[in-house]
Amino acid sequence: MYYSLPDEVYTHEAIIQLVNEGKEVFLPVVLDNFEMELHKFSRKDNMSEGAFNIMEPIGHKYTDFDSIDVAVIPAIAYDEKNNRLGRGKGYYDRFLAKIPLAYKIGICFDFQKITDIPADNNDVPVDEVI
Ligand SMILES: Nc1ncnc2c1ncn2[C@@H]1O[C@H](COP(=O)(O)OP(=O)(O)OP(=O)(O)O)[C@@H](O)[C@H]1O
Ligand SMILES: [Mg+2]
């Protein structure tokens, strides 16, 4: 999952709900070399503010990428072919390349769905946009 910023589809309550349902939730932790890693979310008061004002879990780093069933991915926009436009630094493209097995769900507001986004070989499309 991602821990939403004010201009993104709100995910804070959904994350709590998933944990209450017994699911394991992992959130991005931004590193300074355009890479992200995943840390396990436990509770809201066990987070700290990281890069770009994003709240990040203070949990252990998680690297068993092939075990991830579903990934929920933010974007600036998605197009009709499920291509995504991110914030332009390639963090998600680099990370999504590591989880080819996960079912990727893009979520966005209606106005963020557009006809066509140019994509290159590094751009990873999602499986479904909600
Ligand atoms: N897997 C990768 N390996 C190396 N460079 C990459 C990779 N993915 C993306 N890049 C590079 O990162 C830069 C930013 O990529 P892009 O413009 O697609 O960002 P974005 O998709 O908007 O951002 P984000 O992925 O953070 O949401 C580009 O120069 C792109 O070539
Ligand atoms: Mg991209």
Side-chain angles (χ1 to χ4, degrees):
M1 281 288 263
Y2 67 95
Y3 203 77
S4 56
L5 288 166
D7 64 349
E8 294 173 325
V9 175
Y10 182 66
T11 58
H12 305 187
E13 296 303 321
I15 289 167
I16 304 282
Q17 196 175 324
L18 288 166
V19 170
N20 288 344
E21 287 171 9
K23 296 188 170 67
E24 288 188 289
V25 177
F26 303 93
L27 298 176
V29 168
V30 171
L31 308 177
D32 55 13
N33 55 353
F34 302 112
E35 300 275 342
M36 305 193 305
E37 50 188 43
L38 287 184
H39 288 214
K40 185 169 174 170
F41 174 86
S42 56
R43 45 180 213 282
K44 237 172 169 166
D45 61 4
N46 194 28
M47 301 183 86
S48 66
E49 190 173 320
F52 312 115
N53 305 111
I54 301 168
M55 295 303 288
E56 301 175 338
I58 305 171
H60 288 288
K61 178 177 163 183
Y62 189 77
T63 55
D64 188 6
F65 296 131
D66 287 352
S67 76
I68 297 170
D69 298 310
V70 177
V72 178
I73 314 297
I76 298 296
Y78 284 104
D79 77 7
E80 291 169 358
K81 291 179 180 150
N82 295 349
N83 288 315
R84 67 178 286 283
L85 177 71
R87 292 187 188 248
K89 296 206 164 73
Y91 278 100
Y92 268 98
D93 286 320
R94 285 180 182 81
F95 179 72
L96 293 176
K98 298 176 186 174
I99 56 166
L101 302 180
Y103 188 79
K104 299 167 194 68
I105 302 175
I107 56 176
C108 67
F109 297 107
D110 279 348
F111 69 85
Q112 292 174 297
K113 292 182 89 168
I114 62 175
T115 310
D116 189 45
I117 294 169
D120 67 25
N121 287 339
N122 284 326
D123 287 309
V124 180
V126 293
D127 296 297
E128 180 180 344
V129 177
I130 298 174

